[in-house]
Amino acid sequence: MIKFSDFSFTYSSQSKPTLKHINLEIKDGEKVLIIGPSGSGKSTLGNAINGLIPHSMEGKTEGSLTVSGLETKTSDIFSISQKVGTVLQDTDAQFVGLSVAEDIAFSLENQMVPPERMKKIVLDTSSIVDMGAFLKQSPGALSGGQKQRVSIAGVLVDDVDILLFDEPLANLDPAAGLAAMRLIDEIHKKTGKIVVIIEHRLEDVLSCPVDRIVLIENGEVTLNTDTESLLRSGVLKKAGIREPLYISALKASGSDISSYKGTLSPVEKLDISPFKESLLAFMKEHEKKPAVTDTEIVAELDDVSFSYDGEKDVLSHVSFSIRRGEMVSLLGKNGAGKSTIASLLMGIIHPDSGKILINGKDTSGDTIATRSKTVGFVMQNPNHMISHPMIYDEVAFALRQRGMGEKEVEKRVMDALELCGLEKHWKWPISALSYGQKKRVTIASILVLQPEILILDEPTAGQDWRHYTQLMRFIERLNKELGLTIIFVTHDMHLALEYTDRAIVMRSGELLRDGEIGSVFADKTLLDNANLRVTSLYELGSKLGLDEKGIASFIRTFIAAEDNAEEKKEKALSSAPPELERKETRKKRNGKAKEEKRFGFGLSYIDIESPIHALNGVTKFLVFVMWLMITLITFDLRILLLLLVISFGVMKLSKIPFKRFLPLMCVMLGFMVMNALFIYLFSPQQGPLSMGHRTVILGPESMNYSLTLETVIYLITVSMKYLAIFPMALMFVFATHPSEFASSLNRLHFSYKISYSVSLTLRYIPEITDDYMHIMHAQMARGVDISKGVSLLDRIKSVSKVLAPLVLSSLERIDTISNAMALRGFGKNKKRTWYMSRKMKVSDYLSLLIVFAILLVSILSRFVFGVKFFYPF
C-alpha cells in the first residue's frame, strides 16, 4: 500500500512547497491514474513514491509517506527500489544497456545475481512483454512501443510490489500508445500489483480501465474519484485537462450525460441510442465542408528518393506539394520518413533522385544558409536550439550572423518578440522562462529571418492541454496574420485534427495518403497501415451507422464545434504589429550540388559475429595494452612491419566493412604526413643523429636540409608506429562491447563504478554525435557557418553555438541516467555481477600468448641486444 499522510515537499531551490498536505491512499492491487496540468506537482508525487525524493532530489519533507510498509524518509533509495519499479518518461535516456537483454538484466547485475540464473530470468521476463525475439538488438533501434516494453521488463525482473509509469505515452505514436496501455493493463491483471500511471493524455489512458483517478492542482489533491464520476463532473477543462473527444462531442450536441445511466468509458461500451438523435441533428445543422486552398504552390517534392547509406531508401518516390498559407500535418510513426522530408526541405540533405522545388525553382544548388531564407525549422526540444543566455541576443543571433545593422536587428527582433508575446521580457534571461515560453523564443528566432515556410517538429510534445492550446492558437495567429505556410512533423492526432485541414501520411518512406484531414481520419485501413489509430469521434460516427464519407463529415463538424467553443472562452488577442516585411529576391547559387558522401565518422561498437568479436573483453584489453607497449618500445622496422601485417589481418578477421575504417584512416594518414613533415622541418638531422651515420641522397653534403637515407628510414619508422597502433585502436573500439569491456576492467580489479562509467561513455557516443548533428543543422539553418569559406576564428565561434545546447542536453541526459540507475539499485553493493561476462577460451589464451611473445622479442631486441633502429642498408 502507498499512504501519504499530510505530506508536503519543498524543493531546496524554491521557497514555496510543490506538494501541499497530501492525504492519499493507494491500496494493494489498485490501478490509479494521476492527472494534472504541467507544474501541478504530479511528477513530484511520483518521485516521492519511488524514493528520488528525498534521497536524490534535495528539499524539505514534512508529514509521512509509507510505501509497502517503508517510511521513505528513513529508508534508502535502494530499499524503496525493491518495492517500486519506475518507467521514466524518456525511455531512451533510461536505457543503460547496449542490448535489450543487458538492459533488462541491469537491476539483477546490481543484486549480484549469477550470470546463468540472470539469463533465465531475462528470458522469462522478456517473454512477458513479448520481446524475447529482440534480446540481442540495441534498444535505440527499436520502435517507441518496443522501447516501452523493454523499460517495463527492466522493472519486472525485480518482482516489485508497485509499478510506477511517469508519462508513458509522451514519446509514442497513437497505435504504440494504445498497445502500451493494453500491456500495462494485462500486467496489472496478471500480477495484481499496484499500478500508478502519471499522464495528462486522459483519453489515451482510458482506452483501458482504471480503478481511480486522482487530480492534482497546485500541489494539492482536488479530486479523487472513479472514471465515470470524473467524466460527468465537468472539472477537466477547468483544470486544464483535455476531455475525451467523444465526451466533448456529446456535450456540444446538447446531450445530457449527467443523467445517462450507462457506461461512458471506454467509448466502445457507450450506448449511442440516447444520444443518436441530438448528435445527428447537430451534425446536420453545423456540417463543415472540406476546406479548399487554391493559392500558389510554395514547396513541392517531385518523385523524391533518398538513402542515408546508399543502399536502403528511407524515402521512395515521394511526390506532394504545399500551397502558400496552408497548415499541413506530416503524419506517421517513428521511422516513417517525416524527419527526412523536413531535412530535405531545409536543405540539410539533398535527394538522390527527384527534385525539390521552392516557389517553382529547383533547389539542388542551395546551401542550408540559402534555403533558410525561405524555410525555417523549429526543433522539438527548445534547449537544442538555444545558445545564448538572454532572450534578445538569442532572437537577434541569426540576423547578426548575416551582418545586418544593429538598428534593423532591433526593429526585427522587437517585432518578432511582440508577435510572440515576449516583448515585455526582452531583457530577461532565458533560464527564467517556462518550457512553453522557451518554445516561443525559438519560434521568434526563426521568424526574424522572415521565412515563407515554417516547419515545427512535434511542437506540442511534453505539454499539457492548456499550454498546448495556447501554443497552437499562437501558431494559428502566425499563419493568419503573416500568411506563413506551416508544416507540422508530428504523430499527435489531436493536433492534426484540430489545426490542419490536410494531412500527408507516411509509412516506411512511402506516401500513403495526401488528403483532407476528415477523410484521412475516417479511413481505418489507412490509419492501421500508418500505425496510427482511429479517434473516439470515428467510434461515435461508426455507432451512428455513418459510412466513411459521413464519418469524415462528422469528425470535421465536431472538431470545428470544439474549436469555436474554445475560441469564445479565450480573451481577444492583442493587436498585431505591422506585418514583417518580406524580401522576394532569393540569392541563387550556381553549380551542381556535390554528391552526398555515404560514410561517416562513427566511432562505436559494431555488432557482428566474428573471431575477433568472440574474444573475451579481458583478452582484447590486455592485447591492446601490450600492443601499445610494443609500439612504444620498438623502432625496429621488422617488428613494426609484423605488427602492421597482424593489424590488417585482424581487421579482415573482424568482418567489419573497410568503409567503416576508411574515414578515420584517412584522418590518421593526414596526421601522419603532417607529423613527418614537422619532424623534418624542425629536426632534419634526427635520422642521422639516431643511427650514428649520414648518407645524403638529395642536396649538398653540407646543407642542413639535405635529405638523407637515415632521415627517410627514421620517418618511415615513426610513421609505421602510427600505422601499427591506429588500426588496432579502431578494432578495440569497433569490436569490444562496452559492457563487456566494463566487466573486463572490473575483473582486472578496477572499481565497477569506474568501469561502468567507461561503458556508458562508449554507449552514449553515438547518441551525443546524433544530438550534435541535429543541433548543428538547426544552427546552420539560422546562419551559423562552419564551412572552409570562413576564418578559423569565426568557425570556432560558430562551433561554440552548437556546443552550448549540446552541453545542456547532455547534462539533462546525465541527470536522467543517474536517476534511472539509482532506481534500479546501482551503487548499493560493493560488488556486482555482469550479464556480458564471459569465460576465457583457448583462443583468448592463444591470442595473449602470441602478443606477449612479440612484446618479449621487442624488449629483448631493444634492451638486451641493443637494437634500437633497423637500418637495412
Side-chain angles (χ1 to χ4, degrees):
M1 185 172 76
I2 301 169
K3 186 175 182 179
F4 289 87
S5 301
D6 198 32
F7 183 87
S8 298
F9 180 75
T10 307
Y11 287 102
S12 57
S13 60
Q14 297 179 352
S15 58
K16 295 181 180 180
T18 300
L19 294 178
K20 308 166 190 173
H21 307 290
I22 302 293
N23 289 287
L24 175 67
E25 287 188 18
I26 301 175
K27 297 177 181 177
D28 291 345
E30 277 196 297
K31 182 183 179 188
V32 175
L33 169 63
I34 297 174
I35 59 173
S38 296
S40 63
K42 61 184 187 296
S43 291
T44 302
L45 192 80
N47 289 332
I49 293 172
N50 63 29
L52 286 176
I53 291 174
H55 302 293
S56 290
M57 298 177 177
E58 295 181 0
K60 180 183 177 184
T61 302
E62 299 173 272
S64 171
L65 168 58
T66 57
V67 176
S68 289
L70 297 176
E71 176 62 53
T72 58
K73 281 190 295 188
T74 55
S75 299
D76 58 70
I77 194 169
F78 304 116
S79 299
I80 298 169
S81 70
Q82 294 301 302
K83 305 290 184 181
V84 184
T86 306
V87 177
L88 299 175
Q89 175 181 341
D90 187 352
T91 50
D92 282 314
Q94 184 171 341
F95 292 132
V96 291
L98 203 64
S99 69
V100 168
E102 186 192 350
D103 197 81
I104 294 173
F106 182 74
S107 182
L108 301 174
E109 293 175 321
N110 298 324
Q111 296 171 44
M112 300 179 62
V113 175
E116 291 308 314
R117 181 165 166 250
M118 194 189 306
K119 287 174 182 176
K120 183 181 184 309
I121 296 172
V122 167
L123 190 61
D124 291 344
T125 309
S126 65
S127 66
I128 294 174
V129 295
D130 198 25
M131 290 299 291
F134 299 88
L135 291 177
K136 292 185 178 180
Q137 287 201 23
S138 164
L142 302 176
S143 68
Q146 289 170 330
K147 289 176 181 177
Q148 194 72 265
R149 288 171 178 267
V150 174
S151 297
I152 293 171
V155 298
L156 283 178
V157 292
D158 282 333
D159 193 26
V160 292
D161 301 328
I162 300 160
L163 292 174
L164 174 65
F165 297 89
D166 186 5
E167 300 205 24
L169 304 177
N171 299 307
L172 300 182
D173 58 55
L178 177 61
M181 295 317 302
R182 286 175 175 168
L183 175 62
I184 293 169
D185 189 57
E186 183 182 341
I187 290 170
H188 175 247
K189 288 175 180 175
K190 283 182 178 179
T191 64
K193 298 178 187 295
I194 292 176
V195 172
V196 180
I197 302 169
I198 299 171
E199 185 58 76
H200 55 75
R201 286 166 59 176
L202 178 64
E203 180 171 356
D204 294 323
V205 176
L206 293 183
S207 59
C208 294
V210 298
D211 296 311
R212 277 190 295 141
I213 300 176
V214 177
L215 175 62
I216 306 286
E217 295 181 272
N218 298 317
E220 299 177 300
V221 175
T222 57
L223 197 66
N224 182 358
T225 187
D226 60 86
T227 303
E228 294 292 318
S229 300
L230 178 73
L231 294 179
R232 287 175 166 85
S233 68
V235 303
L236 289 172
K237 286 193 175 183
K238 293 177 184 176
I241 307 294
R242 175 192 285 280
E243 285 182 330
L245 286 176
Y246 71 98
I247 296 293
S248 296
L250 290 172
K251 288 181 177 179
S253 70
S255 300
D256 181 12
I257 63 172
S258 60
S259 60
Y260 171 63
K261 302 300 182 185
T263 302
L264 280 174
S265 178
V267 64
E268 290 82 5
K269 293 185 178 180
L270 180 75
D271 178 9
I272 198 68
S273 54
F275 312 119
K276 188 169 185 177
E277 186 178 333
S278 58
L279 285 168
L280 291 174
F282 185 89
M283 178 183 167
K284 185 176 181 181
E285 183 180 350
H286 298 89
E287 185 173 8
K288 186 176 185 291
K289 299 294 183 184
V292 178
T293 304
D294 58 358
T295 54
E296 72 273 19
I297 292 173
V298 68
E300 183 177 2
L301 270 69
D302 181 10
D303 196 32
V304 168
S305 295
F306 178 79
S307 168
Y308 286 102
D309 59 10
E311 296 174 6
K312 183 182 178 182
D313 280 349
V314 292
L315 287 182
S316 180
H317 304 287
V318 174
S319 297
F320 64 82
S321 59
I322 307 288
R323 293 187 175 274
R324 191 176 303 282
E326 276 193 300
M327 290 176 71
V328 178
S329 297
L330 194 53
L331 299 175
K333 69 173 184 176
N334 295 332
K338 307 188 301 292
S339 296
T340 301
I341 289 174
S343 296
L344 285 163
L345 288 169
M346 289 163 58
I348 291 170
I349 53 179
H350 299 282
D352 295 331
S353 62
K355 293 180 181 179
I356 295 177
L357 305 172
I358 303 290
N359 290 323
K361 297 178 181 178
D362 188 351
T363 61
S364 56
D366 283 358
T367 62
I368 298 178
T370 303
R371 194 75 60 83
S372 69
K373 295 177 181 178
T374 309
V375 181
F377 178 70
V378 179
M379 298 180 76
Q380 176 179 335
N381 187 343
N383 293 327
H384 283 176
M385 290 186 67
I386 293 169
S387 56
H388 291 78
M390 305 302 291
I391 291 175
Y392 183 92
D393 292 332
E394 178 64 25
V395 179
F397 169 66
L399 299 177
R400 288 169 174 167
Q401 282 289 119
R402 294 183 178 182
M404 186 175 289
E406 200 59 34
K407 194 171 182 180
E408 179 62 17
V409 168
E410 182 181 352
K411 179 182 181 302
R412 284 212 200 181
V413 169
M414 295 310 294
D415 280 353
L417 288 175
E418 185 177 354
L419 191 63
C420 296
L422 294 167
E423 70 279 5
K424 294 178 182 178
H425 309 306
W426 70 277
K427 290 185 178 180
W428 279 30
I430 288 174
S431 59
L433 301 181
S434 67
Y435 184 89
Q437 287 172 321
K438 286 181 181 179
K439 201 94 168 178
R440 291 191 178 217
V441 170
T442 59
I443 293 172
S445 71
I446 298 299
L447 287 181
V448 291
L449 299 174
Q450 302 175 356
E452 296 179 36
I453 302 168
L454 186 63
I455 302 173
L456 295 112
D457 185 16
E458 297 290 359
T460 57
Q463 298 190 67
D464 64 24
W465 180 60
R466 181 178 290 158
H467 291 94
Y468 164 110
T469 303
Q470 288 173 355
L471 177 65
M472 292 307 300
R473 295 293 186 206
F474 161 65
I475 292 170
E476 270 190 323
R477 180 182 166 198
L478 296 180
N479 171 253
K480 291 173 183 175
E481 294 182 4
L482 296 184
L484 267 179
T485 304
I486 297 175
I487 302 172
F488 298 107
V489 178
T490 186
H491 55 234
D492 185 337
M493 296 174 68
H494 288 159
L495 181 157
L497 272 171
E498 291 180 279
Y499 298 100
T500 64
D501 294 317
R502 179 171 153 233
I504 295 165
V505 185
M506 301 293 299
R507 183 191 68 176
S508 302
E510 296 182 351
L511 179 64
L512 287 184
R513 174 76 67 84
D514 175 4
E516 185 271 328
I517 198 72
S519 64
V520 166
F521 282 92
D523 189 338
K524 188 177 186 302
T525 303
L526 169 70
L527 297 176
D528 288 343
N529 287 338
N531 213 49
L532 301 172
R533 56 173 289 204
V534 296
T535 67
S536 56
L537 290 179
Y538 175 94
E539 299 287 359
L540 268 189
S542 297
K543 284 177 176 289
L544 289 171
L546 301 174
D547 59 13
E548 188 175 307
K549 188 176 179 181
I551 292 174
S553 178
F554 180 82
I555 290 172
R556 277 194 304 271
T557 300
F558 279 96
I559 285 295
E562 186 180 23
D563 247 6
N564 292 335
E566 288 306 314
E567 283 179 358
K568 287 176 183 178
K569 290 181 182 180
E570 292 181 353
K571 292 181 179 180
L573 294 170
S574 57
S575 57
E579 185 170 343
L580 300 178
E581 295 178 5
R582 280 211 179 80
K583 290 187 178 179
E584 296 299 331
T585 55
R586 301 286 171 226
K587 192 175 180 181
K588 252 181 127 179
R589 188 180 138 222
N590 294 323
K592 211 171 184 181
K594 291 183 179 180
E595 187 179 348
E596 296 281 336
K597 299 295 181 185
R598 296 303 182 201
F599 55 79
F601 288 80
L603 192 61
S604 60
Y605 174 67
I606 299 170
D607 190 9
I608 297 174
E609 289 188 11
S610 78
I612 305 302
H613 287 73
L615 291 174
N616 193 283
V618 172
T619 303
K620 284 181 271 196
F621 179 67
L622 292 177
V623 164
F624 185 56
V625 170
M626 287 191 289
W627 200 268
L628 285 174
M629 290 174 65
I630 296 167
T631 53
L632 289 171
I633 290 168
T634 190
F635 283 84
D636 192 323
L637 267 176
R638 293 166 296 185
I639 295 176
L640 290 172
L641 185 60
L642 174 64
L643 294 181
L644 190 62
V645 171
I646 293 173
S647 293
F648 281 93
V650 168
M651 285 173 64
K652 184 72 175 175
L653 280 173
S654 75
K655 299 182 181 179
I656 297 170
F658 185 69
K659 68 179 181 180
R660 295 299 300 268
F661 294 95
L662 186 57
L664 294 159
M665 294 286 283
C666 289
V667 172
M668 185 274 295
L669 288 171
F671 172 79
M672 194 176 70
V673 170
M674 290 292 292
N675 183 62
L677 179 61
F678 280 121
I679 290 173
Y680 180 70
L681 288 174
F682 291 104
S683 185
Q685 299 303 316
Q686 186 63 46
L689 288 172
S690 299
M691 297 177 196
H693 43 80
R694 187 169 184 265
T695 308
V696 176
I697 57 175
L698 187 65
E701 182 75 28
S702 59
M703 188 175 174
N704 190 42
Y705 281 96
S706 293
L707 184 64
T708 65
L709 191 57
E710 290 80 2
T711 297
V712 172
I713 297 297
Y714 179 81
L715 294 178
I716 289 173
T717 300
V718 171
S719 298
M720 285 284 285
K721 287 165 80 73
Y722 287 115
L723 278 172
I725 292 173
F726 199 73
M728 289 299 279
L730 291 180
M731 280 303 312
F732 182 69
V733 175
F734 286 153
T736 306
H737 193 291
S739 297
E740 188 188 345
F741 176 52
S743 167
S744 304
L745 288 176
N746 193 210
R747 286 171 66 183
L748 294 170
H749 301 292
F750 286 85
S751 161
Y752 79 77
K753 293 181 182 179
I754 293 173
S755 302
Y756 215 91
S757 297
V758 174
S759 170
L760 279 179
T761 300
L762 295 173
R763 154 83 169 82
Y764 279 101
I765 283 174
E767 293 190 23
I768 292 171
T769 302
D770 287 344
D771 282 350
Y772 175 81
M773 294 303 295
H774 291 315
I775 294 166
M776 181 180 70
H777 290 154
Q779 298 291 24
M780 288 173 71
R782 296 167 63 198
V784 171
D785 194 350
I786 57 174
S787 68
K788 295 178 181 178
V790 297
S791 69
L792 179 61
L793 181 61
D794 286 338
R795 259 187 284 171
I796 292 171
K797 288 179 180 177
S798 295
V799 168
S800 71
K801 304 304 177 188
V802 178
L803 292 178
L806 180 65
V807 169
L808 288 174
S809 65
S810 297
L811 289 174
E812 286 180 5
R813 189 193 300 273
I814 289 169
D815 190 47
T816 305
I817 294 168
S818 299
N819 288 337
M821 292 173 71
L823 289 171
R824 296 169 74 184
F826 187 81
K828 178 184 178 182
N829 299 313
K830 291 183 179 180
K831 295 181 180 180
R832 79 194 299 269
T833 50
W834 300 83
Y835 183 84
M836 293 299 297
S837 179
R838 290 190 291 182
K839 293 180 180 179
M840 300 281 281
K841 298 178 181 178
V842 174
S843 56
D844 294 294
Y845 291 114
L846 186 60
S847 301
L848 287 169
L849 185 62
I850 291 170
V851 179
F852 180 74
I854 299 172
L855 174 61
L856 189 61
V857 168
S858 66
I859 292 172
L860 291 173
S861 175
R862 173 77 186 272
F863 298 108
V864 177
F865 299 109
V867 179
K868 185 177 181 182
F869 286 94
F870 173 67
Y871 185 72
F873 300 103

